[in-house]
Structure formats: structure tokens, C-alpha cells
Amino acid sequence: MNSLKHNQAVDELNSSDPAVRVKALRFIKNNIIGNKTKKDLYIQLNVIPKLVKFLKSKDTVDSQVQIQAAIVLGSFAYGGEENVTEIAKHDAIKPLLECISLQNDPRLIEAAARALKAIYKCPTADKNDIFADHHLRDLITLLNPDSLHPKTDRERIASVHTAELAATIIARCCDTNEQQIQIASAGAFPALVKLLTCGFSKAQEAALDALAYLCRENPEFGKAIVETKSETSDSPVKIMLNLIQDKSSTMRLIAAKCLTHLSRANAIGEYSNDITLIVLPTLVKLLDEKGPVREEAPHVLAYLIRDNEELQKAACDSDAVPKLADFVTHVVDQESSYYDPVGDGDKLKENALMALAAISSLTDDGRKLVVEAKIIPHIVAAMSHRSYGIRAAACQCTRSLSRSINILRTSLVDAGVATPLFKLLSDESTDVQATACATLCNLVLDFSPMKKTIMELGGIEKLVELVRSPDNTLRLNAIWALKNLVYQAESDVKEAVMKVLTYQTMENLISDQEIVEVQEQALNLLRNLACTKPIDIEEVFKGLSENKLMNIIENKLCWWNENEEIIKQVLYVINNIASGYERHKTAIMNRPTILTRILNYMGHDNPEIRVIAVWVLINLLWTEDKSASSQVRVQKLRDLGFEDKVKNMTNDENLDVRERVKTVLNQFSQV
Amino acid sequence: MSGNTGTSSHQSKKVVTKDDWVKKLEDVKIDKNDLNKLIMNYFVIEGYKDAAETFSQECGLLPSIDVDSIQDRMNIRNAIQNGNVEEAIERVNDLNPEILDTNPKLYFHLQQQRLIEYIREGKIAEALEFAQDELAPRGEENPEFLEELERTMALLAFDDTTVSPVGDLLHPSQRQRTASELNAAILTSQSQEKDPKLPNMLKMLFWAQDELDEKVLFPKMKNLVTAELVEGNNNNNNTTNSGNNFLST
């Protein structure tokens, strides 16, 4: 490329004549806009520090020079992540933020805000600067177009555009709860709600987007937004329900997204019917659109219906599944988009799979529809896709489907899901590995025809490898899968698992330092190992030694442990041991601390815990024969106050507890 | 169904006389202000700046956008239609530098148009250099552009472009296409609709007349310039055609 003229333009930036500088800046601007190659060229020619210098020297530099410099920086930022890194490296963000302060030329404010928008569009951009000093307050001020005191029509439109840019920047800077709080306390809600009715669709869209991200997973802010007074007589939700019927599909999507986030934040209140009757059908209809709207609609849909059985049923009643299935099977045309130049079919496929996973996560109706759409082979194929997002989403889909025993035994087996899923356990992305592990949990249960395949592929070895991962989710899902693998399994399966895992590792997991859920699953594994047959209990006694086993139980039942899930699992372990041979029962009887804790748990607030505690007692009282040792055991339990305790429980509010109590009293009376 | 269903239904068609029809039309209340807005919308979007200003003074209705921006758009459109793509790019970047940075397809089409203009002027060396420096990298970034690029380059293969299979690229309609795409992107960035409402409403008028024609004999509007109501049966093709003629002028 002939770079002479470009070198010359860079040289001219050093001129002392503002007119020459402006001319050079305009030349650079018109070369780099839309042109990645030229952006890279000028960055290599080290233009950024010069631009930063122009922005910083407020009083000595012509305002046109500053405006053009800000525009050039903004255009660099549109060139992708590495350009944004380059901009941040030269400390350009802070001077740009200084430029949006109200005393500056409105055209400079607009240009700087535009550059900031482009920079913050990049997910890896550092967002700390915006929360420093007065910048957030400046930004909120700009949300009100009147702040810039526009006089002519042109100025009025420019000030609305600046408000739009400010709202977009805000939308991109609320990734964390802390950021949401700072933006809200700077007064964003009233200003954004006001912008909702400004009549300029782009600004309205930006305001909706900002409100959506401010209330994401935040019930307090959801409520605050819903209760914000608007300038019209309509409430913010009512305004959004109007905007969701707009002619522009982009507006409809963003309004649906905002209402979805409010709904997820439990802030929608009296309008909850409108979520089912308006928001959900709108999202389904948007699947017929093109480009970025169609791409994002399934993503919002998935989020809306996640964990909500009623909405999943409503989605089943719409024609969402066939439409989504189409995106999964067909390679879609690559619509280039206005917002995202790199947008492509991959994202659509990923989002469609996520939506299908959500629709089929809680109801058999949803799963049936997915099967009827005949896309399971495509879902299985997608588990080997080059995009990790698609692999994870396809895996999630399989996971939802595998919750139906029927589908697990038929369609999923036919599609040969085990092998590709097993491969994902070694995926380069931890997210994919964790999802694969979670999916595997359903496939290794005893009734699954794929259990054998997975074990033959080396599933135990792989899961044991993952159980040692430093990633919490991965470790949790791996121990979960191992626990399921030994659930109601034959003794040889249990033996095979423990040979690889080792009792020592299980012991470590039972006292996992990072997350208590791992402890819970590890205890559940112990419970499953010691289940069904006395010979299996014997194995556990051998594996850990009686002393160690009892110490683990005693430690977990210490008085300060208030985690009910842990208490339940430990009680189940005791219960399984108590159902074993005489010597197993004796092991428990030899531990007075454990017995006292069991007695205490019979008065626990949680009826489930009371039931298990009583079950332990039933098993301890159970005798095959009238041997001397069993006589002694009953007497000891009586002496410890178990019989008196149980007598007081005959009026327990829980039916299950009352029934078990009857059994126990019967047992005591027979001895 | 038998073949005579058509005639029998024709015979059973209800007839509405012109007088009755006009009376019915007069009963429909239409807000004058709405009609004015419809016309202003047409002037603004299609870029009739002077007409918009005059109309604004006449009916006291403010345009939905400042009239200067209509002029901006018209200058940009004219630049492309005069073959001056570079000027159009500079103007659109002055208006809003985001448009071409966020719309790679449009940017490619403008660069393609520049290439076409070089070829039209017979500047072959410039054309080749431009294609290599500016267009080839876009094709690498976005393979979907490659086909169009190849098609454009094929212009160079023919001495007489009128017989070339890609000769349409040199036709004025190609400039118009590029200009319209750019105009639409600018309008979108200004929160304006891309298409005026009026032509769609007229299309709906003809569609509704055709639908009604299946059941009722009534006076129809066939010529939109005179808006005269014409009685009697006529075939549907004519009405549709007259509608399209209006829309393309």
C-alpha cells in the first residue's frame, strides 16, 4: 500500500496551524472509518498518543481539533478488541470522559460520548474510570437533552443523540451489582424513564436497554424502576408495553428484553399476565425477523422462561419450537448487522439451542416437542461444533432432554449421544466441561442404557480427574456424576469407582474448603456406597476404617453445623449404616456424641430432618433375633431418652413423622 | 366446484352506486392534521426539502426532523448520483461517523461504487490499485463480499461494456441503489423510518379495492392523480399497474 500520504497526514498533526491539523485529522478519519486495515496502519504510525495530547490540552487547542481527535479515537475503537486495548494503554479513556463534561462544546461532548460508546462496547474494556470523579454524574446529566440548552432544531436533535449515547454507555457499564448501585444512586432512573417518552426511537431503545441492564438480577432496582414517576400519566411498565408494539422490530426486542429483566427481578407485579400474553408471544414472533433481532430474540426468550414452568408451557403452546428447530438444522444466511459487524449464524444457533434447552428443562411437553421436531441428531452433532458456545448450548439441550427417562432410553441412545458427550468432558472450555459433566449426571443413573458405554469409554477415570479440578463448578458436577454412578449400583460398580477415586480423595471432598455443595455431594456418595446391602457397608468400613468413618460423621454433626443439606446427608449415611449388620449398629452405639445429636435432630424445625432421625432410630432398634446385644442396645437408647422423646412426638404436625413415631413406639414396646 | 361458480357469484354481486359510495366516504371522519402529517412524512423521507418547508408554513405543522438534515441527505444522494462517492463518504462521516463503522455491507457497497466510477472513467490503473488496496481486504474480512467484488472486476474484461454480462453495474440504477442504501442507513441513524408511509397506504388502497371487488360492484379509484371514482367492472391487473406506476415516479 502506498503509505506516503498517510505518513504525511501523521506529520501534519505536529503542525502549529490548527487548520492543517484539522485537515489532517479529517483525512485520517475519512480513511479509517469502516476500514480495519487503515485503522491498524494509523495505530502503527502511533497516532493515538497525539490524539490523547489534543484532548488533554483543553485551552490551547482548537475545539475542532479536539472534536476530530475524539471521532478518530472512536473509529479506532470500532476496529475490535485489540484496538480498544491499545486505546486504554495510552490512557485515552480518562481524557474522553473529561470531554463529556457540560461546560464543553456540545459537538465535542457528542464526539467523545460516541467514542466512549465504541470503547465500552468491547467486553474487555476497563470500566473503572467512568466510576471515578464526576463522570457518572456528567453522563446522567446528558440523559436529559435540555441540559445542553439546544436552540435550533439541529442542536435539539444532536442533544437527543447525545442522550442516546449516554444511555448506551450506561447500558454497557452495569456488569456488576456494585456498578448498578453506583449508576442508580447517581440518579439514572428518572432520567432514563423520561427518555422513554422522548419520541426519538434510537434514544428510546437506548433508554430501554440501560434500564434492562440496571435491573438485571436486581429485584430492588426492578421495583425502583417500576415505581419511577414518568412525565406522562402512564407508569414505566405501561410505556414499555406500548413500545413493545412499535413498528420497529429492534424496539420490540429491546422492550421485550427490558420487561423480561423486570419480570425476572420479580418487579412486574400487576402486569404478570402481560408477560405471558404479550412479552412471550412478541419474542416468538421476533424469531421471524432478520439479522441481530432474530439472533438475540431466542436468548431473551431462554432467559424469560428459565426455571418457570408456566412460561415454558406457554412457550410450548406457541410455535416457538419448530422455529427454533429450524435455526438449529439450517445454516442460516449471514445477515450482516448494523450493530455487530461480526454477527453470524453461530450466535443464532447457540441462542436457539439455549432457548430449546430452556423450553424442555421442566416439562415433558417441551421435551416431546423437541423430539417431534426431529432435531436430536442435529443437537448431538452440535456438541462437536467448532464454537464453544454452541457446544455448551447443545450439551445443555441434551441435559434438559435427558430428564425424561423415556427420551433418555430411546431418542438419545439412537442419536449416539454418549461418545460426543464424553469427548466434551475434555473440552478446552471449562464451561463446556462443567455442562457436559452436569449432563452426564443423568446418563449414568442405573436405569440409563448409556451407563455401560460411558464406563467402557473410561468415564470413571475422567470424572475422577475432573473431581480434582480447581474450578468449583467442575469439581461439583464431577462429584455429582460419580455419586449418581454409584446410586443403587451393583457392588462391582461401587468398587470400580472407589478404586480410582480412593477413599482418601472422598474424605478430602467431604471437607472441601471451597464450596459446601461439594461436601454435600461427597457425603451423598458415601451414603450411596453404604446403601442396600450389608456387604456394601462392610466395604465402606474397610475402605475408611471404622474409626475414621465415625469421626467423619461426628465432625459433620458438630453443634455449629447448621447447613440442613449437610445434616440430611449425614443422617442418611448413619441410617444406611444402622441398617447393616449388628457390628455396624454397634459402631454407632459406641459413639455417645452421635447419639445425642440424633436425639436433638428429632426436634429439628425441618420435618424432613425429623423423619430421617426417627428412621435412624427404627433401624437401630431393628433386630433379626432376640440376641443379648440387641437387648442391650434398646436399653441404652431408652436410657438416653429416645423413648421419652418419641412419646412427645405422637402429635407432630407432619404425617410422615407421626407414622414413623408409631413404628418406633411399637418397637420399644416389644422389648 | 363446477365451472359456473364464477359467473353465478358475479351475478349475485351487490352493487353500490357512485352516489351512495361518495356519501359513505363522506361519512368517514378523517383528521386533517393526520393527512398533513402523512404528506410531511413523505416530503421529509423522500428528501423534498423546499416542499417540506413551504408545506410547513402553509399548514403550521413542524417537520419531524430539522429541514437542514434533509438537505444533508440530498447532498449526499446527489454526490453519489454524480459519481462523486468520495464526497458522499466525507459528508456522511461528518454527519455521523458511526454509520459506516457499524455497517460493513454499506461501506463495501460505497467502495464498490468508487471502483465502478474509476472503471467508468477508464482509469484502469487506479481501478486496479484501488481494488487491491481497498476492496480485497474487505473481501478477506467478509467472504460474502467476494462474489460482488469479482463481478465488479469482470467489468474490466470487456472493451464494450454494453455487451458485458455485468454491464448493469454501469447503469444509473446502480448509483441509485447505492444512494438509496446510504440514505436508508442515515434515516435509521436519525430515528427516522426508511420508507415513507404514503406509498404503502396507497398499495393498501388498491389491495382493499381488489378484495372488495370479489364481492361488490362499486366505483373504484383507478387514477391516483385525479382520484376520480370510476363505475363499472374492470380487471384487477389494471388497478395494480396504475398503483405501481405512481409509486415509481
Side-chain angles (χ1 to χ4, degrees):
Chain A
M1 190 186 297
N2 175 12
S3 58
L4 196 68
K5 51 186 180 177
H6 303 302
N7 279 315
Q8 197 191 334
V10 176
D11 284 344
E12 282 169 0
L13 293 180
N14 299 327
S15 161
S16 52
D17 181 355
V20 175
R21 286 187 194 167
V22 171
K23 193 169 157 266
L25 283 166
R26 285 177 50 86
F27 177 82
I28 296 172
K29 173 182 83 174
N30 287 320
N31 265 284
I32 64 171
I33 286 180
N35 194 322
K36 171 87 175 119
T37 330
K38 294 274 178 57
K39 288 185 212 288
D40 294 350
L41 172 75
Y42 277 101
I43 289 178
Q44 272 161 25
L45 292 173
N46 215 19
V47 163
I48 296 179
K50 292 191 167 74
L51 302 174
V52 174
K53 216 178 95 203
F54 290 150
L55 291 180
K56 275 185 176 167
S57 36
K58 286 257 131 85
D59 306 320
T60 51
V61 172
D62 183 74
S63 77
Q64 261 305 319
V65 172
Q66 291 195 320
I67 293 168
Q68 296 299 326
I71 295 174
V72 170
L73 271 175
S75 182
F76 280 141
Y78 272 114
E81 208 170 306
E82 62 279 5
N83 286 9
V84 172
T85 312
E86 207 54 38
I87 289 169
K89 209 173 80 190
H90 288 99
D91 295 321
I93 298 178
K94 191 81 186 156
L96 282 170
L97 284 164
E98 293 293 343
C99 290
I100 60 165
S101 143
L102 212 57
Q103 76 267 12
N104 289 321
D105 183 333
R107 289 168 305 167
L108 177 60
I109 296 177
E110 187 183 4
R114 200 185 272 129
L116 288 166
K117 168 186 159 186
I119 290 168
Y120 290 128
K121 187 183 181 205
C122 172
T124 52
D126 180 6
K127 287 160 189 164
N128 285 327
D129 285 339
I130 207 169
F131 295 97
D133 303 334
H134 46 91
H135 302 317
L136 210 49
R137 207 158 283 283
D138 288 343
L139 209 55
I140 307 279
T141 310
L142 294 177
L143 288 176
N144 180 359
D146 295 334
S147 308
L148 291 168
H149 305 295
K151 287 174 201 76
T152 64
D153 282 343
R154 176 160 288 213
E155 284 172 3
R156 200 160 296 123
I157 286 164
S159 64
V160 175
H161 185 235
T162 303
E164 170 200 331
L165 294 167
T168 309
I169 293 170
I170 288 172
R172 286 172 185 169
C173 290
C174 23
D175 302 333
T176 68
N177 185 251
E178 179 58 32
Q179 292 171 341
Q180 286 176 332
I181 292 170
Q182 291 204 45
I183 293 171
S185 44
F189 295 151
L192 286 168
V193 168
K194 192 178 166 201
L195 205 54
L196 283 184
T197 51
C198 73
F200 286 82
S201 57
K202 287 283 151 205
Q204 290 170 308
E205 286 168 16
L208 280 170
D209 210 33
L211 287 169
Y213 286 108
L214 282 169
C215 71
R216 189 179 162 86
E217 301 286 312
N218 192 330
E220 188 196 333
F221 287 175
K223 192 161 173 281
I225 289 169
V226 168
E227 287 170 358
T228 301
K229 290 261 177 300
S230 72
E231 297 213 323
T232 67
S233 56
D234 286 341
S235 70
V237 175
K238 196 93 194 171
I239 297 170
M240 292 173 197
L241 285 167
N242 274 327
L243 292 175
I244 203 175
Q245 289 162 21
D246 195 84
K247 282 191 294 291
S248 145
S249 59
T250 311
M251 179 79 86
R252 294 203 298 277
L253 173 71
I254 304 180
K257 179 162 86 176
C258 193
L259 286 161
T260 293
H261 288 197
L262 284 173
S263 162
R264 296 283 312 189
N266 287 324
I268 216 76
E270 55 176 318
Y271 294 101
S272 69
N273 274 341
D274 293 321
I275 296 294
T276 320
L277 297 176
I278 297 174
V279 178
L280 182 90
T282 300
L283 285 167
V284 174
K285 271 216 187 83
L286 286 172
L287 299 175
D288 300 330
E289 292 292 326
K290 281 183 182 166
V293 170
R294 181 177 65 177
E295 188 181 292
E296 206 187 339
H299 188 258
V300 181
L301 178 65
Y303 184 49
L304 177 68
I305 65 177
R306 194 200 293 167
D307 310 320
N308 187 323
E309 201 173 323
E310 192 196 328
L311 283 172
Q312 287 174 19
K313 280 188 176 145
C316 287
D317 293 339
S318 75
D319 50 357
V321 172
K323 286 181 187 179
L324 292 165
D326 247 16
F327 300 151
V328 175
T329 46
H330 294 105
V331 180
V332 288
D333 55 311
Q334 308 225 327
E335 278 284 333
S336 71
S337 77
Y338 186 78
Y339 295 98
D340 180 15
V342 294
D344 59 327
D346 280 5
K347 201 74 199 157
L348 176 63
K349 195 166 180 174
E350 175 184 336
N351 290 343
L353 284 165
M354 288 305 290
L356 288 166
I359 288 178
S360 55
S361 72
L362 296 179
T363 71
D364 261 339
D365 291 352
R367 290 173 203 134
K368 246 183 240 158
L369 286 172
V370 174
V371 173
E372 282 163 14
K374 300 198 195 313
I375 50 168
I376 291 184
H378 294 273
I379 295 172
V380 173
M383 294 205 301
S384 312
H385 197 274
R386 65 189 139 78
S387 144
Y388 90 90
I390 291 186
R391 293 198 299 276
C395 203
Q396 195 68 40
C397 236
T398 308
R399 185 184 181 193
S400 292
L401 293 170
S402 69
R403 289 184 182 143
S404 150
I405 298 175
N406 184 17
I407 297 174
L408 179 64
R409 283 185 164 156
T410 56
S411 315
L412 286 177
V413 176
D414 294 346
V417 75
T419 311
L421 180 64
F422 187 77
K423 264 203 201 131
L424 295 186
L425 291 179
S426 313
D427 200 274
E428 57 188 25
S429 146
T430 315
D431 281 353
V432 174
Q433 282 184 302
T435 317
C437 230
T439 311
L440 205 70
C441 287
N442 293 339
L443 268 62
V444 295
L445 286 163
D446 216 39
F447 50 74
S448 159
M450 276 167 284
K451 180 175 184 163
K452 204 165 149 264
T453 321
I454 287 160
M455 284 175 62
E456 282 166 4
L457 286 166
I460 297 173
E461 288 75 9
K462 189 69 214 176
L463 287 170
V464 168
E465 184 192 318
L466 298 178
V467 114
R468 301 207 166 94
S469 162
D471 182 272
N472 286 341
T473 317
L474 194 49
R475 203 164 63 247
L476 173 64
N477 292 354
I479 183 69
W480 199 309
L482 285 168
K483 172 206 82 179
N484 281 4
L485 195 62
V486 297
Y487 173 71
Q488 296 194 335
E490 292 299 327
S491 301
D492 57 336
V493 173
K494 292 180 182 175
E495 199 188 327
V497 168
M498 290 317 288
K499 212 172 132 191
V500 185
L501 179 67
T502 74
Y503 279 94
Q504 181 59 51
T505 307
M506 180 177 77
E507 214 188 316
N508 295 345
L509 292 168
I510 285 175
S511 47
D512 191 273
Q513 298 297 306
E514 293 287 327
I515 46 171
V516 71
E517 286 88 348
V518 169
Q519 297 183 14
E520 183 193 334
Q521 293 303 318
L523 282 166
N524 201 335
L525 172 77
L526 175 58
R527 163 190 170 190
N528 290 351
L529 287 174
C531 188
T532 345
K533 283 179 273 176
I535 185 173
D536 289 347
I537 305 171
E538 195 59 39
E539 271 305 309
V540 174
F541 269 66
K542 262 199 275 172
L544 276 172
S545 87
E546 176 184 327
N547 198 34
K548 212 179 232 176
L549 174 63
M550 290 302 143
N551 283 346
I552 290 172
I553 293 172
E554 206 170 288
N555 281 334
K556 287 287 157 192
L557 287 187
C558 56
W559 59 269
W560 45 262
N561 188 352
E562 284 174 359
N563 184 310
E564 296 191 357
E565 296 310 312
I566 297 283
I567 293 170
K568 276 185 219 164
Q569 293 306 328
V570 181
L571 285 174
Y572 278 124
V573 172
I574 303 173
N575 187 48
N576 285 357
I577 295 171
S579 68
Y581 294 139
E582 194 66 31
R583 78 175 205 85
H584 301 139
K585 294 190 208 303
T586 312
I588 298 168
M589 294 304 295
N590 288 342
R591 293 286 182 138
T593 321
I594 295 179
L595 292 172
T596 321
R597 296 305 298 156
I598 296 168
L599 188 66
N600 288 345
Y601 287 130
M602 288 166 77
H604 198 279
D605 288 342
N606 184 333
E608 202 186 334
I609 290 181
R610 295 202 297 277
V611 172
I612 317 168
V614 180
W615 261 116
V616 172
L617 190 53
I618 292 174
N619 277 318
L620 285 175
L621 288 167
W622 184 266
T623 48
E624 298 286 329
D625 48 41
K626 298 272 184 244
S627 70
S629 64
S630 61
Q631 298 279 351
V632 172
R633 202 164 65 239
V634 175
Q635 190 53 48
K636 193 173 172 187
L637 289 168
R638 190 172 272 149
D639 292 346
L640 282 167
F642 275 93
E643 193 176 17
D644 291 341
K645 178 80 190 173
V646 173
K647 276 180 182 159
N648 286 330
M649 291 171 73
T650 47
N651 290 324
D652 194 285
E653 55 172 29
N654 183 285
L655 175 72
D656 226 15
V657 175
R658 290 200 301 274
E659 290 298 313
R660 300 291 89 75
V661 163
K662 271 188 217 159
T663 316
V664 171
L665 289 175
N666 195 25
Q667 284 174 303
F668 271 120
S669 68
Q670 285 177 2
V671 180
Chain B
M1 279 293 159
S2 60
N4 67 355
T5 327
T7 45
S8 68
S9 76
H10 178 80
Q11 281 160 359
S12 65
K13 265 190 194 176
K14 200 180 152 189
V15 179
V16 183
T17 64
K18 191 169 173 179
D19 286 348
D20 284 351
W21 190 251
V22 170
K23 223 172 173 184
K24 278 184 203 295
L25 285 180
E26 279 167 357
D27 284 346
V28 183
K29 292 272 174 289
I30 295 173
D31 191 341
K32 185 87 197 258
N33 208 33
D34 285 344
L35 284 179
N36 287 343
K37 276 188 193 164
L38 197 62
I39 291 161
M40 182 61 94
N41 170 275
Y42 184 79
F43 287 152
V44 166
I45 293 179
E46 290 293 300
Y48 298 107
K49 184 194 171 220
D50 295 341
E53 271 176 330
T54 316
F55 189 68
S56 164
Q57 282 157 12
E58 256 177 40
C59 67
L61 189 73
L62 282 176
S64 58
I65 194 168
D66 75 312
V67 279
D68 293 340
S69 82
I70 303 177
Q71 190 58 51
D72 292 339
R73 276 190 294 117
M74 287 315 104
N75 290 343
I76 291 169
R77 189 186 267 278
N78 289 339
I80 290 185
Q81 284 181 335
N82 296 332
N84 198 344
V85 185
E86 219 173 329
E87 184 198 326
I89 291 179
E90 283 171 21
R91 281 181 180 276
V92 74
N93 286 343
D94 281 341
L95 201 60
N96 182 347
E98 271 175 303
I99 294 174
L100 295 184
D101 249 338
T102 51
N103 208 331
K105 202 179 208 163
L106 172 62
Y107 182 72
F108 173 80
H109 285 151
L110 287 170
Q111 300 293 66
Q112 180 192 27
Q113 192 65 45
R114 273 177 85 176
L115 177 62
I116 293 169
E117 301 305 342
Y118 276 130
I119 295 171
R120 194 194 314 275
E121 291 166 31
K123 294 179 177 167
I124 304 305
E126 284 95 330
L128 285 172
E129 193 191 333
F130 183 79
Q132 190 171 350
D133 287 354
E134 304 293 335
L135 285 161
R138 306 289 85 74
E140 272 170 40
E141 287 161 16
N142 236 327
E144 62 174 314
F145 298 152
L146 277 177
E147 199 183 323
E148 280 185 81
L149 178 56
E150 277 165 20
R151 235 173 77 80
T152 316
M153 293 305 283
L155 280 175
L156 292 167
F158 292 86
D159 286 336
D160 180 2
T161 49
T162 52
V163 298
S164 151
V166 290
D168 60 302
L169 289 173
L170 292 172
H171 198 264
S173 67
Q174 172 65 25
R175 281 179 173 173
Q176 201 166 353
R177 215 178 359 255
T178 309
S180 295
E181 192 184 347
L182 182 54
N183 190 48
I186 297 170
L187 283 166
T188 305
S189 77
Q190 293 172 339
S191 297
Q192 293 288 316
E193 286 167 54
K194 284 179 292 205
D195 306 302
K197 294 185 173 83
L198 190 57
N200 256 336
M201 294 197 64
L202 295 174
K203 274 185 196 164
M204 269 164 67
L205 170 70
F206 282 113
W207 175 83
Q209 286 193 148
D210 286 352
E211 287 290 301
L212 190 60
D213 197 41
E214 300 282 314
K215 301 176 188 92
V216 187
L217 276 177
F218 67 102
K220 280 176 276 290
M221 210 182 277
K222 291 201 286 188
N223 184 335
L224 285 172
V225 181
T226 60
E228 189 191 351
L229 290 169
V230 182
E231 272 177 301
N233 201 10
N234 54 39
N235 73 45
N236 300 341
N237 289 336
N238 266 339
T239 54
T240 318
N241 276 342
S242 64
N244 283 341
N245 283 338
F246 175 85
L247 298 179
S248 60
T249 48

